[in-house]
Amino acid sequence: MIKKIFCISVLGFFLLVCHAQDTISPIHLSGKQINNKRLWLIAGTHAALWGGSYVALNKAWYANYPRSSFHFFNDNREWNQMDKLGHVWTSYNVGRISSEMWQWTGLPHNKSVIYGGISAIAYQSIIEIQDGFSAEWGFSWGDMAANVVGAAAFVSQQLGWKDQRIQVKMSYWPYPYEADLTGRRNQLFGNGLTEKILKDYNSQTYWISANLDAFFSELHVPKWLNISFGYGSDGMLGGTINRWTDKQGVQYDRTDIPRTRRFFLSPDIDLTKVKTKSKILKTIFFTLNMLKVPAPAIELDGRGKLKLHAIYY
């Protein structure tokens, strides 16, 4: 997951800079006259990000693992599919931000949207290709399918509705690992807070957040009010089972810890529909809209247990 968030961070920062310099046309408006300087700037930014990420990831990530010939790997059963939702979330939001940047150049709406979706899939593909040459992983068709689903979720709505009525979001709250499992946690998900937020599947929740006013205007609810459906899973200390062997050859069996799927229902806020005259705030809200706003939630877990949360992150 940390291999993918770099793109969103850079695109979000660049979008903020552009917005500070000039008003970016809202994505739902028709394209204006193309600004060739901006077009080359955005195209160069995407190309540099694509190539730079390939080199940086190859050096910082894949160099730590042995290489192999290109091969495939079926990981669809791993992590209770939380990793697949991470791919959907990443490609959806990369497409959303990239499309807004293409719109800033003056490209027509539909072309900007399509370029945004292609940019998202292209970026994700460099990761999958490098996975294919790594002995630790392999090219995953499941990951690629999730990438396409995320990009398509953005593109289809923007072309059809000229709006993102259904958004893909993420939230995070640290999972309470037992003291003797912190080593396993760090091995799997990293030591730093940033790594844990982006890699710890036990601590993540992914959301489908739908705008109520867009679907039920007769209710006369605030235009920013969403209803969201979340999915998370915890108790996972391995891809498919809670057994592992450490580097010293010591075997561990923690199958006593249940791997539990969790389903949520919670209100949410569409930050892009919060009214403000500030260009900077609009861009910040647009970028932060990839995250679920903390709110009360109802949870139903895989064992049929119902739970209420006063605030769920």
Side-chain angles (χ1 to χ4, degrees):
M1 187 64 178
I2 196 170
K3 297 180 288 182
K4 307 172 184 70
I5 196 65
F6 175 71
C7 183
I8 292 181
S9 301
V10 173
L11 286 179
F13 174 77
F14 196 80
L15 178 63
L16 181 62
V17 172
C18 293
H19 215 155
Q21 294 175 345
D22 190 18
T23 301
I24 300 179
S25 300
I27 195 69
H28 60 275
L29 297 180
S30 299
K32 49 189 176 182
Q33 184 176 1
I34 296 176
N35 184 314
N36 287 326
K37 291 183 178 179
R38 292 182 179 182
L39 183 63
W40 281 108
L41 176 62
I42 297 303
T45 299
H46 280 77
L49 182 61
W50 195 97
S53 296
Y54 186 94
V55 174
L57 289 173
N58 186 61
K59 182 178 180 180
W61 186 274
Y62 293 100
N64 298 323
Y65 300 94
R67 293 287 188 173
S68 71
S69 59
F70 188 84
H71 62 286
F72 296 92
F73 176 63
N74 185 349
D75 60 350
N76 294 335
R77 294 178 59 249
E78 293 190 352
W79 305 111
N80 282 354
Q81 294 73 54
M82 287 294 291
D83 60 323
K84 298 298 178 284
L85 292 179
H87 281 266
V88 172
W89 176 81
T90 304
S91 59
Y92 172 84
N93 284 290
V94 170
R96 190 171 64 93
I97 295 174
S98 173
S99 181
E100 190 80 358
M101 292 170 63
W102 288 114
Q103 183 84 356
W104 178 68
T105 70
L107 284 175
H109 169 266
N110 287 6
K111 186 173 288 188
S112 298
V113 171
I114 292 172
Y115 281 8
I118 292 174
S119 298
I121 294 175
Y123 180 79
Q124 295 286 74
S125 295
I126 70 171
I127 298 170
E128 301 309 327
I129 291 171
Q130 292 190 91
D131 279 352
F133 286 103
S134 173
E136 186 76 9
W137 298 281
F139 184 96
S140 168
W141 284 113
D143 287 353
M144 278 304 301
N147 296 335
V148 172
V149 167
F154 164 73
V155 171
S156 60
Q157 291 186 82
Q158 205 61 52
L159 293 180
W161 290 328
K162 305 294 189 292
D163 189 21
Q164 294 298 297
R165 298 184 182 182
I166 302 172
Q167 298 156 352
V168 184
K169 299 190 177 188
M170 184 189 81
S171 63
Y172 170 88
W173 188 253
Y175 176 74
Y177 291 94
E178 298 175 10
D180 61 337
L181 291 175
T182 55
R184 179 61 172 170
R185 176 201 64 191
N186 295 342
Q187 176 191 356
L188 290 172
F189 308 124
N191 296 299
L193 178 61
T194 302
E195 280 189 283
K196 292 173 185 176
I197 291 174
L198 301 173
K199 294 174 62 179
D200 188 352
Y201 300 127
N202 293 306
S203 303
Q204 298 170 348
T205 306
Y206 290 98
W207 302 84
I208 298 297
S209 185
N211 186 259
L212 288 173
D213 180 70
F215 291 103
F216 306 103
S217 57
E218 65 276 9
L219 296 179
H220 302 291
V221 297
K223 293 186 180 297
W224 47 259
L225 183 59
N226 282 21
I227 187 71
S228 56
F229 305 90
Y231 172 73
S233 185
D234 58 29
M236 300 177 293
L237 299 170
T240 58
I241 193 170
N242 290 350
R243 292 196 189 102
W244 68 94
T245 303
D246 66 16
K247 294 181 179 180
Q248 287 71 42
V250 179
Q251 296 183 341
Y252 296 85
D253 186 337
R254 293 307 310 267
T255 51
D256 59 298
I257 299 176
R259 301 164 66 93
T260 307
R261 298 177 187 268
R262 304 185 183 279
F263 306 89
F264 302 90
L265 178 66
S266 175
D268 187 28
I269 296 176
D270 182 349
L271 294 175
T272 66
K273 290 183 169 56
V274 175
K275 292 185 178 181
T276 176
K277 295 181 179 180
S278 170
K279 300 174 184 178
I280 298 297
L281 276 180
K282 286 181 180 179
T283 306
I284 292 174
F285 287 163
F286 177 87
T287 306
L288 289 180
N289 210 46
M290 68 181 69
L291 304 176
K292 164 76 167 61
V293 173
I298 301 173
E299 174 190 340
L300 178 66
D301 68 23
R303 294 169 289 181
K305 183 179 179 181
L306 195 65
K307 184 177 181 180
L308 299 179
H309 299 268
I311 293 290
Y312 186 84
Y313 296 88

